[in-house]
Amino acid sequence: MNKPQDLILVIFGASGDLTERKLVPAVYELFKRNLLPDKFAVVGVSRTNFTDEAFRAKLKNAVEKQGDGEKIGEFLKLLHYIKIDTAAESEYSKVKERLNELKNEMSIGANYIFYLSTPPKFYGIIPKYLADLGLNSQSDGFKRIIIEKPFGYDLESAKQLNKTLSQDYEEDQLYRIDHYLGKETVQNVLVTRFSNGIFEPLWNRNYIHHVEITAAEEIGVENRGGYYDESGALRDMLQNHLLQLVGLVAMEPPASLDSESLRNEALKVFRSLRPIKPEEVNKYSIRGQYIASKIKGELVKGYREEKGVNFESRTETYVALKFYIDNWRWGGVPFYIRTGKRLPTHVTEIVIHFKPTPHYLFSISGQSDTCNQLIIRIQPDEGILLKFGMKVPGQGFNVQTVNMDFHYADLANVSLPSAYERLLYDCMMGDSTLFTRGDAVETLWKFLRPIQIAWADDSKIPIYGYPAGTWGPETADSLIEQNMKWHYPCKNLTNDGNYCEL
Ligand code: BG6
């Protein structure tokens, strides 16, 4: 693989959780795999008072957690730190001076990536203050900005943020990160669809009955109650991660893998999402909030008792949505997507439910012989499973559903790179294919707008309590018609289909 050009990565919000848990470990992995530029440095920026040494010591533990101590000392020397008050424009000259010093010491051009891992209220001002000092100019080297989610809070705020950023930056300098797109198994959706001749002819309304996407989490809001209570499951997971998965499942084959072709196809899907009418919000969406319960004998707090959460909060920790994609390929095929915290297990998967055979040759009761399903498991036990019917050995023609499965774990000596590793490397290489474009973000907010408005304004729309450790409000099954139920996945891909034991 190619190495990126020499550069400096500047992380705003460097004393925060994401830097320690994800970003620096991902940079370390790139270092071990010899994928960093020959000349490279990280500059952490935040309000906490660290020296370079203290910053390195803090991150040493995070890096050591990755197992081997390979070249840790050498890696840590790449990390530097500056303390500034991110809200104060006057302090940004310190950033510029430090970057100048470092680039001169390293004898490199002014190639900078600015990673915004800060509270979203800074997403507009940090790029602006940098630009005011000329740190947006690409005359002496590239300048790229990586922006963490949430990108906006609703349609208006996302539009405003895009507008602010576009005053000083070109779209190709902006990398809106959605870490789901960096997941190996998410990219494999494209490979499964477009590198195999057998799936694509069936991938449409003629053969697919419905599509289901689940992102379930076992954890609650942990120490992020303050952030989460302002956000909720719709903004935190559905607007971005889940709808990006929909884009990949539903898009037309792009003409090539360049960033514009792929993202144009995703945008076409997002633009074809059938708008949900305000009076139909209740019919197409269900929201829930976990309440206290016992899981494996242990009492688990309800959402409203979590630290940082309003005790009368109506923020959803679970959301399920039904919608249609109004285009030639998907006309009439329902999509069901759901996500929630404090569900029985941590699993993300896409289930393609195929239509039954037109004539039930082997059935006894007039029911379909087999429900063919293709399950694409994003995490954990990453893999793919196809369910199909097989004759039960012996007399008669009894049909049993069996599994054909592939698990990534079976690939010897292959470890899946983390999403952040992939995305940081892509940004260093100037490849924005797996980053979200401004027009796509706005289109997705526009689609969700009627739901956001109705949930905020219409107190008659219920928010259902569900006991922590269950699969969300029972009423979520009512979204799926014809007596069908959601697929209840287990941690283990091949042991799916049953309610997980708590
Ligand atoms: C983040 C959300 O974007 O994704 C978190 O803010 C959520 O609330 C996380 O827990 C889930 O990511 P993953 O990779 O563990 O599925």
Side-chain angles (χ1 to χ4, degrees):
M1 276 169 87
N2 294 334
K3 281 185 163 208
Q5 284 181 47
D6 298 335
L7 67 92
I8 300 177
L9 170 66
V10 185
I11 304 178
F12 285 89
S15 58
D17 193 47
L18 188 74
T19 306
E20 185 165 338
R21 276 190 314 113
K22 302 283 185 189
L23 302 182
V24 168
V27 177
Y28 177 56
E29 278 305 316
L30 292 172
F31 171 78
K32 283 198 299 187
R33 293 173 54 209
N34 204 18
L35 288 176
L36 288 180
D38 289 330
K39 293 182 183 173
F40 173 77
V42 174
V43 176
V45 183
S46 76
R47 214 187 273 211
T48 315
N49 211 354
F50 284 130
T51 57
D52 282 355
E53 285 315 316
F55 184 56
R56 289 172 188 162
K58 171 177 151 64
L59 293 169
K60 187 166 179 240
N61 293 335
V63 171
E64 276 171 349
K65 275 189 202 142
Q66 279 173 261
D68 48 39
E70 214 184 305
K71 297 198 212 156
I72 288 187
E74 197 184 319
F75 172 74
L76 291 173
K77 283 191 207 138
L78 301 175
L79 309 183
H80 307 262
Y81 186 81
I82 330 170
K83 169 191 167 349
I84 70 161
D85 173 0
T86 323
E89 181 167 13
S90 56
E91 304 230 334
Y92 281 69
S93 52
K94 288 192 205 162
V95 177
K96 187 171 182 178
E97 277 164 30
R98 187 75 184 105
L99 287 177
N100 273 337
E101 272 168 27
L102 271 174
K103 93 171 165 59
N104 292 338
E105 277 166 28
M106 292 160 69
S107 315
I108 66 171
N111 292 329
Y112 303 143
I113 296 179
F114 300 103
Y115 197 118
L116 310 191
S117 170
T118 61
K121 65 178 179 197
F122 294 116
Y123 291 174
I125 62 171
I126 296 173
K128 164 106 190 49
Y129 293 163
L130 291 171
D132 288 347
L133 293 175
L135 286 170
N136 59 338
S137 159
Q138 305 210 78
S139 56
D140 52 354
F142 62 72
K143 309 288 180 302
R144 298 176 187 145
I145 307 247
I146 304 184
I147 306 166
E148 262 298 331
K149 62 163 262 282
F151 193 89
Y153 188 73
D154 54 14
L155 178 60
E156 286 70 31
S157 54
K159 273 187 171 169
Q160 184 54 50
L161 185 52
N162 274 334
K163 196 170 154 204
T164 308
L165 292 167
S166 69
Q167 282 161 7
D168 298 309
Y169 298 86
E170 299 297 328
E171 176 62 30
D172 63 10
Q173 292 179 273
L174 302 173
Y175 289 71
R176 297 171 194 78
I177 201 164
D178 183 314
H179 80 277
Y180 265 54
L181 291 178
K183 288 182 191 273
E184 192 66 33
T185 42
V186 169
Q187 293 149 33
N188 193 39
V189 173
L190 292 175
V191 177
T192 303
R193 287 191 57 196
F194 302 134
S195 79
N196 295 295
I198 57 172
F199 295 121
E200 207 43 31
L202 307 181
W203 211 265
N204 57 53
R205 70 190 178 287
N206 294 323
Y207 299 98
I208 292 180
H209 187 272
H210 66 280
V211 176
E212 202 184 317
I213 301 181
T214 297
E217 293 187 90
E218 239 171 320
I219 53 169
V221 291
E222 303 201 297
N223 52 3
R224 298 162 75 220
Y227 150 77
Y228 197 88
D229 211 30
E230 296 289 310
S231 170
L234 187 97
R235 293 189 176 99
D236 185 52
M237 291 285 291
L238 191 136
Q239 187 271 346
N240 32 71
H241 306 329
L242 266 79
L243 286 170
Q244 290 298 337
L245 292 180
V246 170
L248 298 178
V249 169
M251 69 168 55
E252 294 302 315
S256 77
L257 263 193
D258 67 80
S259 66
E260 291 314 312
S261 304
L262 196 92
R263 296 189 300 173
N264 285 344
E265 294 306 335
L267 180 65
K268 282 188 213 159
V269 173
F270 302 150
R271 286 192 172 147
S272 311
L273 293 169
R274 184 186 298 172
I276 293 177
K277 297 193 186 106
E279 63 278 15
E280 288 186 331
V281 165
N282 220 1
K283 179 173 163 199
Y284 287 105
S285 66
I286 288 190
R287 57 177 168 167
Q289 192 185 77
Y290 61 83
I291 53 177
S293 167
K294 271 194 171 169
I295 301 182
K296 292 184 188 142
E298 272 192 31
L299 191 65
V300 170
K301 274 187 199 163
Y303 175 68
R304 290 180 185 181
E305 287 117 48
E306 300 275 16
K307 195 166 157 235
V309 171
N310 184 321
F311 71 102
E312 289 182 324
S313 171
R314 284 177 64 78
T315 298
E316 77 289 351
T317 59
Y318 173 98
V319 54
L321 216 65
K322 171 183 174 177
F323 57 85
Y324 291 92
I325 299 175
D326 283 339
N327 64 18
W328 200 266
R329 183 188 284 263
W330 294 111
V333 178
F335 280 68
Y336 302 96
I337 64 179
R338 64 178 167 167
T339 181
K341 300 240 180 239
R342 284 270 184 241
L343 301 188
T345 187
H346 178 218
V347 61
T348 305
E349 68 177 27
I350 300 164
V351 187
I352 311 291
H353 297 259
F354 290 94
K355 287 186 174 170
T357 52
H359 174 60
Y360 304 152
L361 194 56
F362 305 112
S363 70
I364 303 169
S365 56
Q367 294 287 312
S368 151
D369 295 320
T370 307
C371 288
N372 291 123
Q373 293 171 2
L374 182 72
I375 303 178
I376 303 177
R377 178 58 77 90
I378 306 296
Q379 60 191 16
D381 191 7
E382 294 83 356
I384 297 199
L385 181 143
L386 180 66
K387 285 176 170 291
F388 65 101
M390 199 204 77
K391 182 178 176 304
V392 177
Q395 269 71 41
F397 278 100
N398 293 330
V399 179
Q400 185 189 338
T401 301
V402 292
N403 296 332
M404 202 150 66
D405 55 316
F406 157 73
H407 303 252
Y408 272 82
D410 295 341
L411 295 175
N413 301 327
V414 176
S415 67
L416 299 184
S418 79
Y420 281 96
E421 201 179 317
R422 166 73 197 240
L423 294 173
L424 277 170
Y425 175 79
D426 282 5
C427 178
M428 290 181 194
M429 295 298 289
D431 179 356
S432 53
T433 311
L434 298 175
F435 292 81
T436 316
R437 225 167 45 193
D439 47 8
V441 177
E442 287 184 19
T443 309
L444 292 175
W445 281 123
K446 188 171 167 201
F447 170 62
L448 296 176
R449 194 162 190 266
I451 303 178
Q452 291 188 289
I453 293 176
W455 283 2
D457 295 351
D458 186 348
S459 56
K460 287 199 294 304
I461 298 182
I463 173 155
Y464 298 96
Y466 62 94
T470 65
W471 277 104
E474 278 176 18
T475 182
D477 273 333
S478 66
L479 268 188
I480 308 195
E481 48 289 272
Q482 298 171 6
N483 296 329
M484 291 184 307
K485 285 197 179 335
W486 292 94
H487 182 253
Y488 292 114
C490 283
K491 271 209 166 88
N492 183 338
L493 174 62
T494 34
N495 180 22
D496 66 324
N498 299 315
Y499 224 91
C500 289
E501 249 184 65
L502 294 184

